[in-house]
């Protein structure tokens, strides 16, 4: 279902991504909140050349270090680090953050994780170099819930949509369970 979502569901997070001026956007939520879908839609809408790194792969660290060491292509100043929670080694994480800070000033990063902001990133938060987006920014409002359900031919009135939103917390995975 996630691959068929229209942007109406993600107006707020898409707007936040578009308006963010911070070097790093840290997007975190449990599985099923639509992190990957939101970033994919944003990339599609904004036509950003990017480098997508899956942090579940063993080659990730080497790939990122190589990409940062190279003079990145002129139009590719965006790096997406997906499944960031898999980088558990504190020393490696500290080195990675140092590399991110040392990258060209016009280079941006979107970090997607299932965990809250690690402490090594807290100084960037304090200096406002890091924009944090969590479940509250990703949750669907009543209008989005109505549209999401209507996609499966489930028509609701405002009161029903508000109740479903309250029960689900606006979590897409919970809405899928409700649909079933």
């Amino acid at each position: 279902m996630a691959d068929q979502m229209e942007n109406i569901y993600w107006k707020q997070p898409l707007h936040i991504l578009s308006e963010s001026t911070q070097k790093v956007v840290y997007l975190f939520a449990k599985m099923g909140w639509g992190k990957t879908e939101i970033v994919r839609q944003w990339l599609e809408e904004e036509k950003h050349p990017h480098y997508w790194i899956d942090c579940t792969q063993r080659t990730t660290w080497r790939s990122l270090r190589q990409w940062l060491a190279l003079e990145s292509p002129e139009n590719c100043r965006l790096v997406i680090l997906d499944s960031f929670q898999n980088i558990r080694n504190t020393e490696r994480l500290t080195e990675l953050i140092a590399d991110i800070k040392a990258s060209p000033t016009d280079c941006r990063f979107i970090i997607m994780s299932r965990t809250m902001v690690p402490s090594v990133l807290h100084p960037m938060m304090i200096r406002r170099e890091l924009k944090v987006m969590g479940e509250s920014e990703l949750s669907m409002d009543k209008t989005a819930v109505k549209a999401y359900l209507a996609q499966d031919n489930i028509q609701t009135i405002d009161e029903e949509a508000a109740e479903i939103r309250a029960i689900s917390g606006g979590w897409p995975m919970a809405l899928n369970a409700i649909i079933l």
Side-chain angles (χ1 to χ4, degrees):
M1 219 176 274
D3 58 340
Q4 300 193 6
M5 291 183 209
E6 295 178 17
N7 293 341
I8 187 171
Y9 313 118
W10 311 119
K11 281 184 180 181
Q12 180 183 2
L14 289 169
H15 177 74
I16 292 170
L17 282 174
S18 294
E19 299 297 317
S20 173
T21 58
Q22 286 84 357
K23 184 172 192 74
V24 179
V25 174
Y26 192 88
L27 180 58
F28 79 97
K30 295 177 291 231
M31 184 175 78
W33 275 93
K35 299 178 296 290
T36 301
E37 182 63 24
I38 288 165
V39 172
R40 286 187 201 279
Q41 284 186 22
W42 179 70
L43 291 169
E44 189 176 301
E45 283 184 10
E46 302 285 328
K47 307 292 185 223
H48 289 290
H50 61 280
Y51 188 66
W52 193 294
I53 298 173
D54 182 353
C55 296
T56 59
Q57 299 173 357
R58 288 187 164 274
T59 59
T60 298
W61 183 247
R62 185 178 310 124
S63 298
L64 181 61
R65 298 291 307 255
Q66 287 173 347
W67 188 88
L68 288 170
L70 297 172
E71 185 174 327
S72 56
E74 190 167 316
N75 291 331
C76 188
R77 296 284 188 189
L78 177 63
V79 178
I80 289 100
L81 297 172
D82 196 358
S83 300
F84 191 75
Q85 72 278 356
N86 291 311
I87 303 176
R88 293 187 179 103
N89 180 303
T90 305
E91 183 179 316
R92 183 171 276 183
L93 191 56
T94 302
E95 289 176 17
L96 172 62
I97 300 310
D99 288 340
I100 288 172
K101 288 179 187 177
S103 67
T105 56
D106 61 341
C107 190
R108 292 187 62 207
F109 295 82
I110 296 176
I111 297 174
M112 294 188 296
S113 181
R114 291 183 184 169
T115 60
M116 294 184 72
V117 180
S119 60
V120 71
L121 285 171
H122 289 178
M124 289 184 79
M125 284 175 51
I126 293 166
R127 290 190 304 276
R128 300 184 192 268
E129 298 169 337
L130 179 84
K131 173 69 177 169
V132 178
M133 292 173 59
E135 292 170 3
S136 62
E137 289 83 9
L138 300 177
S139 67
M140 294 184 195
D141 63 14
K142 177 182 67 174
T143 303
V145 167
K146 261 183 100 163
Y148 190 79
L149 295 172
Q151 177 179 294
D152 285 315
N153 296 318
I154 300 170
Q155 303 303 316
T156 57
I157 59 173
D158 285 345
E159 292 78 17
E160 292 169 328
E163 184 176 344
I164 291 168
R165 198 276 173 218
I167 292 167
S168 68
W171 182 23
M173 191 172 278
L175 289 172
N176 290 338
I178 290 169
I179 289 169
L180 293 174

